[in-house]
């Protein structure tokens, strides 16, 4: 009896728990797609996370089929392939033409082209345990990339001091899932399963820590500032122009008479402009911008 066989009670237990918790993780985007269904629009959401998640599940399925006694890996990644395919189908159904085209290109490039390339290279060039190890380390690289993607959300939370886009239940289940699959990989003696979940565990802890710090903090509102050398002027009242001496200001300057034009400009006295505020304040519909040359 092998100690680290799938029938080892601890490996089987952590594998089953990993399946259950990972199902909750896969179902986490469900409210988003219910909202897409109600609004009949994708509302600017990006399809890339779901395309990458489908690619990751398909790649782990390939790895699980190459191994022996990996039925628990097959079950959860099969569920992941189905649920991610449903998400992408809903996205394509309600997406705009531009978003639909972009998603189709991603699917063709990642889920068809890249996966086919990995399959052809590993299946026909490598044999036996070497093939399993190479595919396993490719899965590790993809999983590390997937786990590292939420770092952008972590930076956003620190910058905005808001946890709106980092709900606690998702971070909690991600952390718990990483613990279960790490233990499963440890008891299975499978470094390719255990290693990426170490990063997932620490990233989940970081997200929960930030949630505890910023959950009661009022988010900072970034105010838009005008560029330098731009003055925002609000005009009150009706401007009136009072000429000082209108007789000295020529009414017209003949076109082509440059000498008379220069002489007229020398004899012209500047007009005085005064703003007399009226009793009713008049506000322009848009601010008047005076751009000063630096």
């Amino acid at each position: 009896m092998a100690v680290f066989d799938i029938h080892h009670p601890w490996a089987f237990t952590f594998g089953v728990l990993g399946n259950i918790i990972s199902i909750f993780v896969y179902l986490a985007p469900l409210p988003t797609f219910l909202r897409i269904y109600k609004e009949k629009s994708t509302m600017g959401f990006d399809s890339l996370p779901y395309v990458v998640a489908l690619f990751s599940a398909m790649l782990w399925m390939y790895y699980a089929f190459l191994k022996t006694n990996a039925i628990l890996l097959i079950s959860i990644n099969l569920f992941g392939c189905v649920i991610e395919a449903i998400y992408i189908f809903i996205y394509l159904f309600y997406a705009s033409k531009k978003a639909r085209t972009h998603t189709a290109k991603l699917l063709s490039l990642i889920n068809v082209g890249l996966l086919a390339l990995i399959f052809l290279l590993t299946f026909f060039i490598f044999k036996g345990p070497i093939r399993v190890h190479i595919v396993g380390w490719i899965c590790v690289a993809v999983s590390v990339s997937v786990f590292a993607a939420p770092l952008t959300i972590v930076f956003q939370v620190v910058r905005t001091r808001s946890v709106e886009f980092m709900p606690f239940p998702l971070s909690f289940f991600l952390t718990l899932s990483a613990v279960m699959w790490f233990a499963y990989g440890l008891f299975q003696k499978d470094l390719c399963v255990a290693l990426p979940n170490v990063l997932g565990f620490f990233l989940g802890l970081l997200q929960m820590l930030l949630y505890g710090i910023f959950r009661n903090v009022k988010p900072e509102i970034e105010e838009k500032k005008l560029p330098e050398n731009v003055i925002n002027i609000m005009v009150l009242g009706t401007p009136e122009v009072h000429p000082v001496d209108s007789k000295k200001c020529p009414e017209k300057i003949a076109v082509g008479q440059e000498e008379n034009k220069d002489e007229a400009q020398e004899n012209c006295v500047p007009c005085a402009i005064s703003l007399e505020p009226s009793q009713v304040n008049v506000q322009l519909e848009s601010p008047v911008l005076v751009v000063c040359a630096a």
Side-chain angles (χ1 to χ4, degrees), residues 8-173:
H8 186 275
W10 286 111
F12 182 77
T13 301
F14 283 112
V16 171
L17 290 175
N19 271 255
I20 295 172
I21 297 171
S22 295
I23 288 174
F24 285 102
V25 175
Y26 275 122
L27 293 177
L30 193 57
T32 299
F33 284 90
L34 289 176
R35 183 180 172 191
I36 289 175
Y37 171 75
K38 292 178 180 179
E39 298 291 337
K40 310 299 181 185
S41 169
T42 56
M43 300 172 292
F45 286 109
D46 193 2
S47 61
L48 180 61
Y50 312 105
V51 173
V52 173
L54 177 61
F55 171 72
S56 177
M58 295 170 70
L59 194 59
W60 278 109
M61 282 275 291
Y62 176 44
Y63 173 73
F65 278 118
L66 293 177
K67 283 179 64 69
T68 56
N69 297 325
I71 187 63
L72 293 176
L73 279 178
I74 293 175
S75 61
I76 187 57
N77 287 289
L78 179 60
F79 177 82
C81 288
V82 172
I83 195 69
E84 295 297 336
I86 294 174
Y87 289 157
I88 294 173
F89 175 79
I90 296 174
Y91 185 92
L92 289 172
F93 188 80
Y94 292 108
S96 62
K97 184 178 180 181
K98 182 178 179 181
R100 192 180 297 118
T101 303
H102 176 68
T103 304
K105 290 180 180 179
L106 289 176
L107 288 171
S108 301
L109 180 64
I110 299 176
N111 298 82
V112 178
L114 184 56
L115 189 65
L117 180 63
I118 293 173
F119 175 78
L120 292 174
L121 291 178
T122 57
F123 191 82
F124 292 103
I125 296 178
F126 304 100
K127 302 294 181 181
I130 298 178
R131 179 197 297 160
V132 178
H133 285 103
I134 291 177
V135 174
W137 284 106
I138 294 175
C139 290
V140 170
V142 172
S143 296
V144 169
S145 301
V146 171
F147 277 127
L151 285 175
T152 56
I153 300 178
V154 171
F155 295 143
Q156 183 181 3
V157 169
V158 175
R159 186 179 69 254
T160 62
R161 303 172 66 86
S162 172
V163 294
E164 178 183 0
F165 299 101
M166 194 181 66
F168 180 82
L170 180 58
S171 301
F172 175 75
F173 281 114

Side-chain angles (χ1 to χ4, degrees), residues 198-212:
V198 175
L199 176 62
F201 172 73
F202 285 107
L203 181 61
L205 284 182
L206 176 61
Q207 290 180 356
M208 290 191 294
L209 178 63
L210 290 176
Y211 186 89

Side-chain angles (χ1 to χ4, degrees), residues 215-233:
R215 62 174 181 170
N216 295 323
V217 177
K218 186 177 181 180
E220 295 181 353
I221 301 176
E222 297 180 359
E223 296 182 356
K224 295 182 179 180
K225 295 183 179 180
L226 291 172
E228 294 182 359
N229 300 331
V230 176
I231 304 173
N232 189 6
I233 299 177

Side-chain angles (χ1 to χ4, degrees), residues 8 23 25 29 80 84 97 174 181 204 215 241 246 272 283 289 291:
H8 186 275
I23 288 174
V25 175
E84 295 297 336
K97 184 178 180 181
L174 282 173
W181 286 114
R215 62 174 181 170
V241 180
S246 59
Q283 182 176 345
L289 297 182
V291 181

